[in-house]
């Protein structure tokens, strides 16, 4: 079963192709520190056999939190707390990634929202401050500093959150970005902020595997579609090792979801950009996950809700397929 085969990303070897995607837990205190709840949550999935765990959206600066109880990585105390989390997971064979994020106009604090343009996400949110060029460059530095802290905390891979209507996605989409300077207008200009972030991370961490999460469609007229996302990815793929393909989040337009509803986006980006991808989106059956890998529609498969319901999903699939190498010794009797 290819789903259970090892997979290499740059110099990083995953024990299988199963990914736990980033899912916000909102269990930190206002200090943004990872705590025992986070450590138990993620270590359980490591014990459960997941190949790559991507820790939830972690803010690169205080105003970048989606909710006040988000994780943060803008100071050394947060780095230390995240190191304890990583140290809990590594002994059980999982590789660890951190998603670096900034909420942009979808932050919790209406008085301190930032965005490429002064356009509110909805009537429930305040009008954001339109970033100056100097402030944009400061956000680039925030992402770079956060990436350095993440690696010092022991993370094996960095994911930059460029999806779901948050700050980087806001720059990428012409719906949210109405700038007339070098950060708005053409696709090349709208990609500039993301490109500077990836450039700055690569400059200080040239050997670390680096990926982005993208929304391949805004599901809104005048926004990003998968063909525009192909153009975006092609402009930054030289900095990347993987693209984690999701969709939506920029507007309130509803998305019709079903098992595997985003997989076609993954296939198109993988084929047209020539870069490995992670597929995600209501994938919870092993046959669907295997079909995606077997037919080359993605290189890795992320299971979100399935792993929330059952942290031992991977062990159960491995046992059913008689691939018992992932089963920790203390659990072996449960699989005999």
């Amino acid at each position: 079963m290819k789903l259970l085969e090892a997979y290499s990303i740059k110099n990083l070897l995953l024990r299988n192709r199963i990914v736990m995607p980033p899912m916000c837990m909102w269990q930190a205190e206002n200090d943004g520190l990872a705590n025992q709840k986070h450590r138990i949550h993620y270590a359980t999935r490591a014990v459960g056999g997941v190949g790559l765990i991507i820790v939830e959206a972690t803010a690169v600066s205080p105003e970048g939190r989606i909710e006040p109880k988000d994780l943060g990585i803008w100071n050394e105390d947060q780095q230390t707390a995240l190191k304890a989390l990583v140290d809990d997971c590594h002994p059980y064979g999982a590789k660890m990634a951190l998603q670096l994020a900034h909420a942009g106009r979808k932050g919790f604090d209406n008085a301190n929202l930032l965005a490429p343009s002064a356009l509110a996400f909805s009537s429930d949110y305040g009008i954001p401050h339109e970033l100056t060029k100097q402030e944009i460059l400061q956000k680039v530095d925030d992402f770079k500093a956060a990436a350095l802290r993440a690696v010092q905390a022991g993370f094996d891979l960095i994911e930059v959150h460029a999806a779901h209507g948050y700050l980087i996605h806001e720059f990428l989409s012409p719906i949210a970005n109405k700038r007339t300077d070098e950060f708005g207008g053409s696709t090349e200009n709208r990609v500039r902020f993301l490109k500077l972030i990836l450039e700055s991370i690569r400059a200080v961490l040239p050997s670390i595997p680096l990926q982005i999460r993208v929304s391949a469609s805004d599901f809104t007229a005048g926004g990003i579609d998968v063909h525009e996302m192909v153009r975006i990815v092609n402009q930054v793929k030289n900095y990347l090792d993987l693209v984690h393909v999701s969709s939506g989040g920029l507007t309130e337009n509803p998305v019709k979801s079903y098992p595997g509803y985003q997989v076609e986006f993954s296939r198109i980006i993988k084929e047209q950009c020539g870069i490995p991808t992670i597929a995600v989106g209501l994938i919870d059956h092993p046959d669907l996950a295997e079909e995606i890998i077997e037919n080359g529609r993605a290189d890795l498969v992320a299971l979100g809700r399935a792993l929330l319901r059952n942290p031992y999903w991977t062990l159960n699939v491995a046992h059913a397929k008689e691939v018992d190498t992932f089963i920790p010794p203390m659990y072996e009797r449960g699989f005999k």
Side-chain angles (χ1 to χ4, degrees), residues 12 73 79 82-84 86-87 90 94-98 147-158 208:
L12 184 66
I73 191 163
Q79 175 186 316
L82 286 166
K83 183 179 187 304
V86 172
D87 289 347
H90 270 157
K95 301 302 182 183
M96 302 297 294
L98 186 65
L148 279 167
R149 290 192 187 98
V151 172
Q152 290 163 0
F155 284 97
D156 305 293
L157 183 149
I158 300 297
I208 192 76

Side-chain angles (χ1 to χ4, degrees), residues 83-118:
K83 183 179 187 304
L85 185 157
V86 172
D87 289 347
D88 281 349
C89 296
H90 270 157
Y92 298 106
K95 301 302 182 183
M96 302 297 294
L98 186 65
Q99 186 187 68
L100 304 181
H102 191 292
R105 68 180 187 172
K106 292 175 71 176
F108 74 92
D109 183 359
N110 277 350
N112 290 291
L113 301 179
L114 306 177
S117 301

Side-chain angles (χ1 to χ4, degrees), residues 291-303:
E291 183 276 329
I292 292 166
I293 299 296
E294 186 68 35
N295 288 309
R297 300 202 285 164
D299 299 271
L300 302 171
V301 173
L303 313 172

Side-chain angles (χ1 to χ4, degrees), residues 136-286:
I136 290 171
L137 297 178
Q138 179 58 58
K139 292 302 114 186
V140 172
D141 286 344
D142 289 345
F143 274 91
K144 178 174 72 172
L148 279 167
R149 290 192 187 98
V151 172
Q152 290 163 0
F155 284 97
D156 305 293
L157 183 149
I158 300 297
E159 176 172 284
V160 172
H161 197 357
H164 301 159
Y166 300 119
L167 183 62
I168 297 174
H169 186 187
E170 292 162 19
F171 271 89
L172 295 176
S173 177
I175 292 175
N177 185 347
K178 302 298 184 182
R179 300 177 73 95
T180 57
D181 62 4
E182 66 267 42
F183 291 96
S186 67
T187 302
E188 181 181 2
N189 283 357
R190 286 182 279 110
V191 174
R192 195 178 306 277
F193 179 50
L194 172 60
K195 189 173 184 180
L196 287 174
I197 289 169
L198 298 178
E199 245 175 12
S200 69
I201 293 173
R202 272 285 179 239
V204 294
L205 298 169
S207 62
I208 192 76
L210 181 60
Q211 68 187 41
I212 56 173
R213 196 174 205 195
V214 299
S215 284
S217 176
D218 289 337
F219 300 110
T220 304
I224 291 170
D225 61 15
V226 70
H227 306 294
E228 174 70 353
M229 185 50 65
V230 165
R231 290 188 284 271
I232 289 168
V233 171
N234 275 331
Q235 291 197 30
V236 296
K237 66 182 181 181
N238 290 341
Y239 304 103
L240 299 173
D241 300 290
L242 272 169
V243 179
H244 188 177
V245 184
S246 188
S247 65
L250 190 85
T251 70
E252 294 184 290
N253 278 8
V255 178
K256 184 179 179 181
S257 59
Y258 53 85
Y261 72 102
Q262 298 172 145
V263 174
E264 182 64 5
F265 295 147
S266 168
R267 182 194 67 78
I268 291 170
I269 290 171
K270 176 179 167 65
E271 292 181 1
Q272 296 191 17
C273 299
I275 192 166
T277 59
I278 303 173
V280 66
L282 300 183
I283 300 165
D284 60 5
H285 196 284

Side-chain angles (χ1 to χ4, degrees), residues 39-57:
R39 296 197 300 273
I40 292 172
H41 172 67
Y42 289 107
T44 304
R45 277 73 191 173
V47 172
V50 172
L52 177 65
I53 293 172
I54 308 175
V55 172
E56 64 203 78

